[in-house]
Amino acid sequence: MRQGKRLSQMDFALECEVSAKHISFLETGRSQPSKGMVLHLAQMLQTDLAATNRLLSAAGYSQVYSDQDLNAPGMAMIKEALDHLLQAHLPYPAVVFDHEYYLVMANTAMQAMMVRMVELGAHFPARPNFLLSLLDNEGMKPFVGDWENIACHMLQRVYHEHLAGPFRDQPNRLLEHALTLPGVPQNWKSRLVEHLDYPAIPFTLNLGDQQLRIFSTIATIGTPLDVTAQNLRIEHFFPMDERSKAFWQS
């Protein structure tokens, strides 16, 4: 994880305010860190909660952050808050997805939009993955205007999210899977995002004779203390023109 941050042992030791020799001994197993030291190292590495738990386990300590299913009793307040956000956004679509872009929750507007795609020939698995569906000829791909530009933007997002994480030197399995799908632009990493005359990237959906122009915002759970809660993303979709607004308000 230190090497993934491109930090030498000396640089990391200075940040942690310990000796480089101590960092070396911890990494080679010659010294056993206290639980407090593990948490301190994790904080200095800016790891997420799941990575902090893995560090604690590797050092022989119990994990401190829960990783509960969203339907667990202890997550009731989180689920209630998510329900509120999704319903409050009606009549426009909104979804909740996890760190790997798998759908967790969706409001009725998003569900209706996906049903319409199915009526027009799309196929979605029981638990859709937004990234993979966007790239899939049997998913959302046929309905997305300017598909190559949107696909490159999403691939770049997944790529950079992985680089910003604590395990940047490990395989990015979601991206690897995505790049095996047919038709993915070869220049996805270097392609410049178009529509620079807009304040946000427009996303066009062609649903039969309806053309919807939308953009989205993404929010997270503030100050999470649970792995599942930290990994959730709430995406709200907004119309970009009066025709799209009228579609959902009718």
Side-chain angles (χ1 to χ4, degrees):
M1 292 167 69
R2 171 184 62 75
Q3 291 171 344
K5 293 270 186 188
R6 303 296 188 262
L7 291 171
S8 67
Q9 286 186 343
M10 178 62 73
D11 292 335
F12 187 46
L14 289 172
E15 284 199 22
C16 296
E17 298 183 344
V18 299
S19 70
K21 182 178 180 181
H22 187 47
I23 293 296
S24 175
F25 277 24
L26 292 176
E27 291 186 356
T28 59
R30 295 178 66 183
S31 290
Q32 172 70 19
S34 67
K35 190 172 186 178
M37 175 57 73
V38 176
L39 292 172
H40 176 60
L41 296 175
Q43 184 178 32
M44 293 299 100
L45 287 166
Q46 297 180 316
T47 66
D48 59 18
L49 303 186
T52 300
N53 277 345
R54 287 193 286 270
L55 281 177
L56 287 165
S57 294
Y61 297 108
S62 60
Q63 300 183 353
V64 297
Y65 298 112
S66 64
D67 188 0
Q68 304 179 75
D69 184 271
L70 190 57
N71 293 314
M75 295 287 281
M77 64 179 182
I78 297 294
K79 188 172 183 182
E80 183 178 350
L82 295 173
D83 278 329
H84 175 78
L85 290 170
L86 294 180
Q87 298 310 313
H89 194 60
L90 291 172
Y92 305 127
V95 298
V96 178
F97 56 87
D98 65 17
H99 66 296
E100 292 187 325
Y101 289 87
Y102 282 98
L103 180 67
V104 176
M105 301 170 64
N107 67 6
T108 53
M110 174 57 74
Q111 293 172 30
M113 194 163 67
M114 294 177 71
V115 167
R116 180 58 179 152
M117 291 183 193
V118 170
E119 292 173 347
L120 294 170
H123 295 87
F124 296 111
R127 191 185 180 204
N129 182 290
F130 267 35
L131 174 66
L132 301 181
S133 179
L134 174 68
L135 304 175
D136 190 349
N137 288 321
E138 295 189 352
M140 293 176 59
K141 180 178 177 178
F143 305 97
V144 178
D146 197 12
W147 174 81
E148 284 200 2
N149 192 51
I150 298 300
C152 290
H153 168 70
M154 286 299 299
L155 291 167
Q156 289 171 13
R157 180 199 289 184
V158 171
Y159 172 73
H160 288 294
E161 285 175 349
H162 182 74
L163 287 183
F167 300 100
R168 56 178 289 164
D169 287 347
Q170 294 186 12
N172 187 341
R173 302 199 184 282
L174 175 61
L175 182 62
E176 289 177 354
H177 185 180
L179 295 178
T180 65
L181 296 176
V184 173
Q186 295 296 308
N187 67 337
W188 65 268
K189 189 184 293 186
S190 60
R191 182 162 177 159
L192 295 176
V193 175
E194 299 175 7
H195 305 295
L196 296 180
D197 52 334
Y198 286 94
I201 297 176
F203 189 95
T204 302
L205 285 178
N206 300 307
L207 301 178
D209 58 354
Q210 297 285 345
Q211 184 181 78
L212 307 175
R213 289 176 57 77
I214 56 182
F215 72 97
S216 69
T217 63
I218 296 180
T220 60
I221 303 295
T223 58
L225 291 175
D226 179 272
V227 174
T228 297
Q230 185 178 58
N231 287 336
L232 296 176
R233 301 292 181 268
I234 308 102
E235 187 159 13
H236 293 89
F237 296 93
F238 296 86
M240 292 193 72
D241 56 33
E242 292 303 316
R243 178 185 295 181
S244 301
K245 187 182 296 185
F247 171 82
W248 278 297
Q249 292 181 346
S250 60

Short mmCIF file of all heavy atoms in Angstrom, two decimals, residues 87-131:
data_model
loop_
_atom_site.label_atom_id
_atom_site.label_comp_id
_atom_site.label_asym_id
_atom_site.label_seq_id
_atom_site.Cartn_x
_atom_site.Cartn_y
_atom_site.Cartn_z
N GLN A 87 -36.80 8.81 -3.07
CA GLN A 87 -38.20 9.20 -3.25
C GLN A 87 -38.34 10.72 -3.40
O GLN A 87 -39.19 11.20 -4.15
CB GLN A 87 -39.04 8.70 -2.08
CG GLN A 87 -39.07 7.19 -1.93
CD GLN A 87 -39.40 6.47 -3.23
OE1 GLN A 87 -40.33 6.83 -3.94
NE2 GLN A 87 -38.62 5.44 -3.54
N ALA A 88 -37.52 11.46 -2.69
CA ALA A 88 -37.59 12.92 -2.76
C ALA A 88 -37.20 13.44 -4.13
O ALA A 88 -37.56 14.56 -4.51
CB ALA A 88 -36.70 13.55 -1.69
N HIS A 89 -36.47 12.64 -4.89
CA HIS A 89 -36.01 13.08 -6.21
C HIS A 89 -37.05 12.85 -7.31
O HIS A 89 -36.88 13.32 -8.43
CB HIS A 89 -34.71 12.36 -6.58
CG HIS A 89 -33.99 12.98 -7.73
ND1 HIS A 89 -33.54 14.28 -7.73
CD2 HIS A 89 -33.65 12.47 -8.96
CE1 HIS A 89 -32.95 14.55 -8.88
NE2 HIS A 89 -33.00 13.47 -9.65
N LEU A 90 -38.09 12.11 -7.01
CA LEU A 90 -39.15 11.90 -8.01
C LEU A 90 -39.74 13.25 -8.43
O LEU A 90 -39.80 14.18 -7.63
CB LEU A 90 -40.25 11.01 -7.41
CG LEU A 90 -39.85 9.55 -7.16
CD1 LEU A 90 -40.94 8.82 -6.38
CD2 LEU A 90 -39.58 8.84 -8.49
N PRO A 91 -40.11 13.42 -9.71
CA PRO A 91 -40.33 12.36 -10.71
C PRO A 91 -39.09 11.95 -11.50
O PRO A 91 -39.20 11.22 -12.47
CB PRO A 91 -41.35 13.02 -11.64
CG PRO A 91 -40.95 14.47 -11.63
CD PRO A 91 -40.54 14.74 -10.21
N TYR A 92 -37.91 12.42 -11.11
CA TYR A 92 -36.71 12.10 -11.88
C TYR A 92 -36.04 10.84 -11.33
O TYR A 92 -36.18 10.50 -10.16
CB TYR A 92 -35.73 13.28 -11.84
CG TYR A 92 -36.35 14.57 -12.30
CD1 TYR A 92 -36.29 15.72 -11.51
CD2 TYR A 92 -37.04 14.65 -13.52
CE1 TYR A 92 -36.88 16.90 -11.92
CE2 TYR A 92 -37.63 15.82 -13.94
CZ TYR A 92 -37.54 16.95 -13.14
OH TYR A 92 -38.14 18.11 -13.54
N PRO A 93 -35.25 10.16 -12.16
CA PRO A 93 -34.61 8.90 -11.74
C PRO A 93 -33.48 9.13 -10.73
O PRO A 93 -32.79 10.16 -10.77
CB PRO A 93 -34.05 8.33 -13.06
CG PRO A 93 -34.73 9.09 -14.15
CD PRO A 93 -35.04 10.43 -13.59
N ALA A 94 -33.31 8.16 -9.87
CA ALA A 94 -32.20 8.16 -8.92
C ALA A 94 -31.89 6.73 -8.54
O ALA A 94 -32.79 5.88 -8.49
CB ALA A 94 -32.54 8.98 -7.67
N VAL A 95 -30.61 6.44 -8.29
CA VAL A 95 -30.17 5.08 -7.95
C VAL A 95 -29.13 5.13 -6.85
O VAL A 95 -28.50 6.16 -6.60
CB VAL A 95 -29.58 4.35 -9.17
CG1 VAL A 95 -30.60 4.19 -10.28
CG2 VAL A 95 -28.34 5.08 -9.69
N VAL A 96 -28.94 3.99 -6.22
CA VAL A 96 -27.82 3.77 -5.31
C VAL A 96 -27.04 2.59 -5.85
O VAL A 96 -27.62 1.56 -6.21
CB VAL A 96 -28.31 3.45 -3.88
CG1 VAL A 96 -27.12 3.18 -2.95
CG2 VAL A 96 -29.17 4.59 -3.33
N PHE A 97 -25.72 2.73 -5.97
CA PHE A 97 -24.88 1.63 -6.42
C PHE A 97 -23.66 1.52 -5.51
O PHE A 97 -23.34 2.44 -4.76
CB PHE A 97 -24.46 1.78 -7.88
CG PHE A 97 -23.77 3.07 -8.22
CD1 PHE A 97 -22.39 3.21 -8.08
CD2 PHE A 97 -24.48 4.16 -8.72
CE1 PHE A 97 -21.74 4.39 -8.40
CE2 PHE A 97 -23.84 5.35 -9.04
CZ PHE A 97 -22.48 5.47 -8.88
N ASP A 98 -23.01 0.37 -5.55
CA ASP A 98 -21.84 0.17 -4.69
C ASP A 98 -20.56 0.56 -5.41
O ASP A 98 -20.59 1.08 -6.53
CB ASP A 98 -21.80 -1.27 -4.16
CG ASP A 98 -21.58 -2.31 -5.26
OD1 ASP A 98 -21.14 -1.95 -6.37
OD2 ASP A 98 -21.85 -3.50 -5.01
N HIS A 99 -19.40 0.28 -4.78
CA HIS A 99 -18.12 0.74 -5.33
C HIS A 99 -17.75 0.03 -6.63
O HIS A 99 -16.88 0.51 -7.35
CB HIS A 99 -17.01 0.54 -4.29
CG HIS A 99 -16.72 -0.89 -3.96
ND1 HIS A 99 -17.65 -1.72 -3.36
CD2 HIS A 99 -15.61 -1.65 -4.15
CE1 HIS A 99 -17.12 -2.90 -3.19
NE2 HIS A 99 -15.89 -2.90 -3.66
N GLU A 100 -18.42 -1.07 -6.94
CA GLU A 100 -18.18 -1.76 -8.20
C GLU A 100 -19.30 -1.51 -9.20
O GLU A 100 -19.39 -2.19 -10.21
CB GLU A 100 -18.00 -3.26 -7.94
CG GLU A 100 -16.73 -3.59 -7.18
CD GLU A 100 -16.49 -5.09 -7.08
OE1 GLU A 100 -17.48 -5.85 -6.96
OE2 GLU A 100 -15.31 -5.49 -7.15
N TYR A 101 -20.13 -0.53 -8.92
CA TYR A 101 -21.20 -0.08 -9.82
C TYR A 101 -22.36 -1.07 -9.95
O TYR A 101 -23.10 -1.02 -10.93
CB TYR A 101 -20.63 0.30 -11.20
CG TYR A 101 -19.82 1.57 -11.15
CD1 TYR A 101 -18.46 1.53 -10.82
CD2 TYR A 101 -20.39 2.81 -11.40
CE1 TYR A 101 -17.71 2.70 -10.75
CE2 TYR A 101 -19.66 3.97 -11.32
CZ TYR A 101 -18.32 3.91 -11.00
OH TYR A 101 -17.59 5.07 -10.91
N TYR A 102 -22.52 -1.94 -8.98
CA TYR A 102 -23.69 -2.81 -8.97
C TYR A 102 -24.87 -2.08 -8.35
O TYR A 102 -24.72 -1.40 -7.33
CB TYR A 102 -23.40 -4.10 -8.20
CG TYR A 102 -22.59 -5.09 -9.00
CD1 TYR A 102 -21.21 -5.18 -8.82
CD2 TYR A 102 -23.20 -5.91 -9.95
CE1 TYR A 102 -20.46 -6.08 -9.56
CE2 TYR A 102 -22.45 -6.81 -10.69
CZ TYR A 102 -21.09 -6.88 -10.50
OH TYR A 102 -20.33 -7.76 -11.25
N LEU A 103 -26.03 -2.22 -8.96
CA LEU A 103 -27.24 -1.54 -8.49
C LEU A 103 -27.65 -2.08 -7.13
O LEU A 103 -27.72 -3.29 -6.91
CB LEU A 103 -28.37 -1.75 -9.50
CG LEU A 103 -29.71 -1.10 -9.16
CD1 LEU A 103 -29.58 0.42 -9.20
CD2 LEU A 103 -30.79 -1.55 -10.14
N VAL A 104 -27.92 -1.17 -6.21
CA VAL A 104 -28.36 -1.52 -4.86
C VAL A 104 -29.82 -1.14 -4.65
O VAL A 104 -30.62 -1.91 -4.15
CB VAL A 104 -27.47 -0.83 -3.80
CG1 VAL A 104 -27.99 -1.11 -2.39
CG2 VAL A 104 -26.02 -1.28 -3.93
N MET A 105 -30.18 0.07 -5.06
CA MET A 105 -31.55 0.57 -4.93
C MET A 105 -31.86 1.49 -6.11
O MET A 105 -30.94 2.07 -6.70
CB MET A 105 -31.73 1.35 -3.61
CG MET A 105 -31.45 0.56 -2.35
SD MET A 105 -31.39 1.60 -0.85
CE MET A 105 -33.08 2.21 -0.78
N ALA A 106 -33.15 1.63 -6.42
CA ALA A 106 -33.57 2.53 -7.49
C ALA A 106 -34.97 3.03 -7.18
O ALA A 106 -35.80 2.28 -6.64
CB ALA A 106 -33.54 1.83 -8.84
N ASN A 107 -35.24 4.29 -7.52
CA ASN A 107 -36.60 4.78 -7.31
C ASN A 107 -37.49 4.36 -8.48
O ASN A 107 -37.03 3.76 -9.45
CB ASN A 107 -36.62 6.30 -7.08
CG ASN A 107 -36.21 7.12 -8.30
OD1 ASN A 107 -36.00 6.59 -9.38
ND2 ASN A 107 -36.11 8.43 -8.11
N THR A 108 -38.77 4.64 -8.37
CA THR A 108 -39.73 4.15 -9.37
C THR A 108 -39.48 4.74 -10.75
O THR A 108 -39.75 4.09 -11.76
CB THR A 108 -41.16 4.44 -8.92
OG1 THR A 108 -41.31 5.85 -8.62
CG2 THR A 108 -41.52 3.64 -7.67
N ALA A 109 -38.96 5.96 -10.82
CA ALA A 109 -38.68 6.56 -12.12
C ALA A 109 -37.57 5.81 -12.84
O ALA A 109 -37.63 5.57 -14.06
CB ALA A 109 -38.30 8.03 -11.96
N MET A 110 -36.52 5.43 -12.12
CA MET A 110 -35.45 4.65 -12.73
C MET A 110 -35.94 3.26 -13.11
O MET A 110 -35.60 2.74 -14.18
CB MET A 110 -34.26 4.55 -11.76
CG MET A 110 -33.13 3.64 -12.25
SD MET A 110 -32.45 4.12 -13.88
CE MET A 110 -31.52 5.58 -13.43
N GLN A 111 -36.74 2.65 -12.25
CA GLN A 111 -37.28 1.34 -12.56
C GLN A 111 -38.12 1.38 -13.84
O GLN A 111 -38.02 0.50 -14.69
CB GLN A 111 -38.11 0.82 -11.39
CG GLN A 111 -37.30 0.53 -10.14
CD GLN A 111 -38.18 0.21 -8.95
OE1 GLN A 111 -39.27 -0.33 -9.10
NE2 GLN A 111 -37.73 0.55 -7.75
N ALA A 112 -38.94 2.42 -13.98
CA ALA A 112 -39.79 2.56 -15.16
C ALA A 112 -38.93 2.75 -16.42
O ALA A 112 -39.26 2.22 -17.49
CB ALA A 112 -40.74 3.73 -14.99
N MET A 113 -37.83 3.49 -16.29
CA MET A 113 -36.96 3.71 -17.44
C MET A 113 -36.28 2.41 -17.87
O MET A 113 -36.14 2.12 -19.06
CB MET A 113 -35.91 4.77 -17.09
CG MET A 113 -35.16 5.32 -18.30
SD MET A 113 -34.32 6.87 -17.93
CE MET A 113 -33.07 6.32 -16.78
N MET A 114 -35.89 1.58 -16.90
CA MET A 114 -35.28 0.30 -17.23
C MET A 114 -36.30 -0.67 -17.82
O MET A 114 -35.99 -1.42 -18.74
CB MET A 114 -34.63 -0.30 -15.98
CG MET A 114 -33.44 0.51 -15.47
SD MET A 114 -32.71 -0.13 -13.94
CE MET A 114 -31.93 -1.63 -14.56
N VAL A 115 -37.54 -0.63 -17.32
CA VAL A 115 -38.61 -1.45 -17.91
C VAL A 115 -38.83 -1.07 -19.36
O VAL A 115 -39.01 -1.94 -20.23
CB VAL A 115 -39.91 -1.30 -17.09
CG1 VAL A 115 -41.10 -1.88 -17.86
CG2 VAL A 115 -39.78 -1.97 -15.74
N ARG A 116 -38.80 0.23 -19.64
CA ARG A 116 -38.98 0.70 -21.03
C ARG A 116 -37.86 0.18 -21.92
O ARG A 116 -38.11 -0.24 -23.07
CB ARG A 116 -39.03 2.22 -21.06
CG ARG A 116 -39.20 2.82 -22.45
CD ARG A 116 -40.46 2.33 -23.12
NE ARG A 116 -40.64 2.92 -24.43
CZ ARG A 116 -41.29 2.33 -25.43
NH1 ARG A 116 -41.83 1.11 -25.26
NH2 ARG A 116 -41.42 2.93 -26.59
N MET A 117 -36.63 0.15 -21.42
CA MET A 117 -35.52 -0.40 -22.20
C MET A 117 -35.73 -1.88 -22.47
O MET A 117 -35.44 -2.36 -23.57
CB MET A 117 -34.19 -0.18 -21.45
CG MET A 117 -33.75 1.26 -21.37
SD MET A 117 -32.14 1.40 -20.54
CE MET A 117 -32.08 3.16 -20.23
N VAL A 118 -36.21 -2.61 -21.47
CA VAL A 118 -36.49 -4.03 -21.66
C VAL A 118 -37.55 -4.23 -22.73
O VAL A 118 -37.45 -5.12 -23.58
CB VAL A 118 -36.92 -4.68 -20.32
CG1 VAL A 118 -37.44 -6.09 -20.55
CG2 VAL A 118 -35.75 -4.69 -19.34
N GLU A 119 -38.57 -3.39 -22.71
CA GLU A 119 -39.62 -3.46 -23.74
C GLU A 119 -39.06 -3.23 -25.13
O GLU A 119 -39.56 -3.77 -26.12
CB GLU A 119 -40.71 -2.43 -23.45
CG GLU A 119 -41.53 -2.73 -22.21
CD GLU A 119 -42.48 -1.60 -21.85
OE1 GLU A 119 -42.35 -0.49 -22.43
OE2 GLU A 119 -43.36 -1.81 -20.99
N LEU A 120 -37.97 -2.45 -25.20
CA LEU A 120 -37.34 -2.14 -26.48
C LEU A 120 -36.20 -3.10 -26.82
O LEU A 120 -35.47 -2.87 -27.78
CB LEU A 120 -36.83 -0.69 -26.47
CG LEU A 120 -37.91 0.39 -26.38
CD1 LEU A 120 -37.31 1.76 -26.12
CD2 LEU A 120 -38.75 0.43 -27.67
N GLY A 121 -36.03 -4.16 -26.02
CA GLY A 121 -35.06 -5.19 -26.38
C GLY A 121 -33.89 -5.39 -25.46
O GLY A 121 -33.06 -6.28 -25.69
N ALA A 122 -33.77 -4.59 -24.41
CA ALA A 122 -32.63 -4.73 -23.49
C ALA A 122 -32.81 -5.94 -22.58
O ALA A 122 -33.93 -6.40 -22.35
CB ALA A 122 -32.47 -3.47 -22.65
N HIS A 123 -31.69 -6.45 -22.09
CA HIS A 123 -31.70 -7.54 -21.12
C HIS A 123 -30.81 -7.13 -19.95
O HIS A 123 -29.64 -6.78 -20.14
CB HIS A 123 -31.18 -8.84 -21.74
CG HIS A 123 -32.04 -9.39 -22.82
ND1 HIS A 123 -31.91 -9.00 -24.14
CD2 HIS A 123 -33.07 -10.27 -22.78
CE1 HIS A 123 -32.80 -9.64 -24.87
NE2 HIS A 123 -33.52 -10.41 -24.08
N PHE A 124 -31.39 -7.16 -18.76
CA PHE A 124 -30.63 -6.82 -17.56
C PHE A 124 -30.60 -8.03 -16.63
O PHE A 124 -31.61 -8.71 -16.47
CB PHE A 124 -31.27 -5.64 -16.81
CG PHE A 124 -31.27 -4.36 -17.59
CD1 PHE A 124 -32.45 -3.82 -18.07
CD2 PHE A 124 -30.08 -3.69 -17.82
CE1 PHE A 124 -32.45 -2.63 -18.78
CE2 PHE A 124 -30.07 -2.50 -18.53
CZ PHE A 124 -31.26 -1.96 -19.01
N PRO A 125 -29.45 -8.31 -16.00
CA PRO A 125 -29.41 -9.38 -15.00
C PRO A 125 -30.20 -8.98 -13.76
O PRO A 125 -30.63 -7.82 -13.63
CB PRO A 125 -27.92 -9.53 -14.70
CG PRO A 125 -27.34 -8.18 -15.03
CD PRO A 125 -28.15 -7.65 -16.18
N ALA A 126 -30.36 -9.91 -12.84
CA ALA A 126 -31.12 -9.62 -11.62
C ALA A 126 -30.50 -8.46 -10.84
O ALA A 126 -31.22 -7.66 -10.24
CB ALA A 126 -31.18 -10.87 -10.75
N ARG A 127 -29.18 -8.37 -10.88
CA ARG A 127 -28.49 -7.27 -10.21
C ARG A 127 -27.61 -6.56 -11.24
O ARG A 127 -26.45 -6.91 -11.43
CB ARG A 127 -27.65 -7.78 -9.05
CG ARG A 127 -27.13 -6.65 -8.15
CD ARG A 127 -26.20 -7.19 -7.08
NE ARG A 127 -25.71 -6.11 -6.23
CZ ARG A 127 -24.59 -6.17 -5.54
NH1 ARG A 127 -23.82 -7.24 -5.59
NH2 ARG A 127 -24.22 -5.16 -4.79
N PRO A 128 -28.15 -5.56 -11.94
CA PRO A 128 -27.39 -4.92 -13.01
C PRO A 128 -26.14 -4.20 -12.51
O PRO A 128 -26.10 -3.70 -11.39
CB PRO A 128 -28.40 -3.92 -13.60
CG PRO A 128 -29.74 -4.37 -13.11
CD PRO A 128 -29.49 -5.01 -11.79
N ASN A 129 -25.14 -4.18 -13.37
CA ASN A 129 -23.94 -3.39 -13.13
C ASN A 129 -23.97 -2.23 -14.12
O ASN A 129 -24.02 -2.43 -15.33
CB ASN A 129 -22.68 -4.24 -13.35
CG ASN A 129 -21.41 -3.47 -13.08
OD1 ASN A 129 -21.03 -2.58 -13.82
ND2 ASN A 129 -20.73 -3.82 -12.00
N PHE A 130 -23.95 -1.00 -13.60
CA PHE A 130 -24.14 0.16 -14.47
C PHE A 130 -23.04 0.30 -15.51
O PHE A 130 -23.30 0.65 -16.66
CB PHE A 130 -24.25 1.43 -13.62
CG PHE A 130 -25.66 1.79 -13.27
CD1 PHE A 130 -26.60 0.80 -13.04
CD2 PHE A 130 -26.06 3.11 -13.18
CE1 PHE A 130 -27.91 1.12 -12.71
CE2 PHE A 130 -27.37 3.44 -12.85
CZ PHE A 130 -28.29 2.44 -12.61
N LEU A 131 -21.80 0.05 -15.13
CA LEU A 131 -20.70 0.18 -16.08
C LEU A 131 -20.81 -0.88 -17.17
O LEU A 131 -20.76 -0.58 -18.36
CB LEU A 131 -19.35 0.07 -15.39
CG LEU A 131 -18.14 0.06 -16.33
CD1 LEU A 131 -18.00 1.40 -17.04
CD2 LEU A 131 -16.86 -0.30 -15.59
#
